[in-house]
Amino acid sequence: MAASLFFCHLAIADDLAEIKQRGVLRHIGVPYANFVSYIKRDNFESLTGLDVELVKGFAEHLGVKYQYVPADWSNVVGKLIGQDVLYSNNQFSWGEKTPIEGDIIANGATILDWRKQLADFSDDYFISGVWLIARSDSNLSPIRPTGSLDKDIKKVKQLIAGKDVLALEYSCLDPNLYQLYETGANVILPDTRRKLNEMVPAILNNDAETTLLDVADALIALEKWPGEIKVIGPISQEQRMGAAFRKNSPELRKAFNQYLAKIRKDGTFQSLVEKHYPSIFYFYSDYFTGSIETDL
């Protein structure tokens, strides 16, 4: 079934006018790095993160209330578009129909080609990439950068033949995205309920010698487990992150892009990034301090 036909007959859902009338913006989020941190147990509940503050600010900008909708990587798209999606071997297929629970996905979502077939992304507002991370006792050594990202990626892939590499489908760490099976690596796929922030604890527990990790999560992990892990090198090209919207919510997406441009111009967004990812500026300062173009 073509994606366009799917949205025509299934997704009768809210755009900007309906959300303003309802008075609530529903933020779908998967706990991940410092983008979304959500803890709920007994009578305790905590919700923080870059994307949480970003969407809360957007809701306030629209004059509506904010509501968080928790999700995981296997059902996050379904909560937005009304049908679950199964992704394997570089292609997706439709799963079961499910209720639409939210209006925007924002959790450090990497803008990937297959995801763009399912949802429309905002202007990108975070830059990343995927690195190979190993335990400090691994006999793998960090590569010496060549000055060419393509050559660096090739060097890393040559190192992992026969090595256990932990990856995670449905996420930016999906091995199919980086032709990992062609490297001869022993790709280990955990239960789909595993969270991205559990990948480093898994290799420290000897579930595998190495893991894929994106830059944002890797920076946090290096601070959290100093001396216990090391970065071997890149697995992917640079990637961009953004918020995802239903394909029939163009006005909501446009309003978000306008809000994003506003807070990038007045310095609010940079302050949020400095708060949640202070070390990212060592790697990508030009991206966060340069001029921003939008498709308004």
Side-chain angles (χ1 to χ4, degrees):
M1 180 187 300
S4 58
L5 294 177
F6 167 76
F7 287 106
C8 286
H9 85 266
L10 176 65
I12 303 174
D14 299 342
D15 199 356
L16 181 60
E18 290 78 15
I19 289 169
K20 286 187 173 181
Q21 184 176 19
R22 185 208 305 148
V24 177
L25 178 68
R26 301 169 299 175
H27 170 204
I28 307 168
V30 179
Y32 166 49
N34 283 356
F35 293 105
V36 174
S37 178
Y38 180 62
I39 302 173
K40 184 176 183 180
R41 59 171 71 98
D42 300 326
N43 295 323
F44 176 79
E45 186 171 13
S46 173
L47 178 63
T48 60
L50 173 63
D51 275 321
V52 172
E53 293 196 53
L54 179 60
V55 181
K56 280 185 175 180
F58 179 47
E60 183 178 353
H61 172 76
L62 295 178
V64 299
K65 295 180 180 178
Y66 168 91
Q67 178 185 339
Y68 177 68
V69 179
D72 57 45
W73 293 109
S74 64
N75 65 18
V76 61
V77 174
K79 288 176 182 284
L80 179 72
I81 68 174
Q83 189 162 1
D84 286 331
V85 175
L86 308 175
Y87 179 77
S88 182
N89 298 322
N90 284 324
Q91 59 185 2
F92 71 85
S93 59
W94 298 116
E96 297 294 324
K97 293 182 180 179
T98 185
I100 290 176
E101 298 184 35
D103 309 300
I104 173 176
I105 296 173
N107 46 222
T110 304
I111 303 172
L112 302 172
D113 288 342
W114 73 273
R115 288 176 175 170
K116 289 193 290 185
Q117 297 180 64
L118 303 169
D120 285 340
F121 280 87
S122 69
D123 297 325
D124 62 89
Y125 55 82
F126 208 89
I127 190 168
S128 190
V130 175
W131 291 345
L132 181 74
I133 305 294
R135 290 194 312 272
S136 58
D137 63 357
S138 168
N139 61 10
L140 291 177
S141 298
I143 65 164
R144 185 182 299 274
T146 64
S148 165
L149 187 55
D150 286 334
K151 291 180 180 178
D152 290 350
I153 292 170
K154 184 177 180 179
K155 289 178 69 174
V156 173
K157 287 185 173 181
Q158 289 173 341
L159 294 176
I160 59 177
K163 297 288 187 179
D164 289 347
V165 181
L166 190 63
L168 188 64
E169 290 187 327
Y170 298 102
S171 74
C172 61
L173 308 185
D174 194 309
N176 296 293
L177 295 172
Y178 314 113
Q179 295 77 48
L180 221 62
Y181 291 104
E182 299 174 10
T183 66
N186 178 29
V187 178
I188 298 175
L189 297 175
D191 188 293
T192 56
R193 291 171 295 182
R194 171 163 282 171
K195 300 178 177 62
L196 286 176
N197 61 5
E198 296 174 341
M199 304 296 274
V200 170
I203 66 169
L204 294 178
N205 193 47
N206 293 315
D207 290 0
E209 182 178 346
T210 69
T211 184
L212 302 185
L213 214 60
D214 80 19
V215 172
D217 215 8
L219 295 179
I220 295 171
L222 289 168
E223 294 177 1
K224 191 172 183 179
W225 292 283
E228 297 186 59
I229 57 174
K230 55 187 174 182
V231 178
I232 304 304
I235 283 290
S236 80
Q237 298 289 334
E238 286 186 354
Q239 298 175 336
R240 303 297 172 94
M241 295 174 169
F245 301 84
R246 281 183 295 276
K247 288 185 174 290
N248 60 356
S249 297
E251 294 303 314
L252 181 63
R253 175 179 174 271
K254 180 179 179 180
F256 182 85
N257 282 340
Q258 291 172 332
Y259 172 72
L260 182 61
K262 172 182 176 294
I263 64 173
R264 295 196 78 159
K265 185 176 181 179
D266 66 21
T268 300
F269 182 72
Q270 182 163 332
S271 296
L272 289 177
V273 175
E274 289 174 347
K275 175 182 177 180
H276 295 285
Y277 290 97
S279 58
I280 195 74
F281 293 93
Y282 291 109
F283 298 90
Y284 301 114
S285 61
D286 290 346
Y287 175 82
F288 290 104
T289 59
S291 61
I292 304 301
E293 296 182 0
T294 68
D295 59 354
L296 304 183

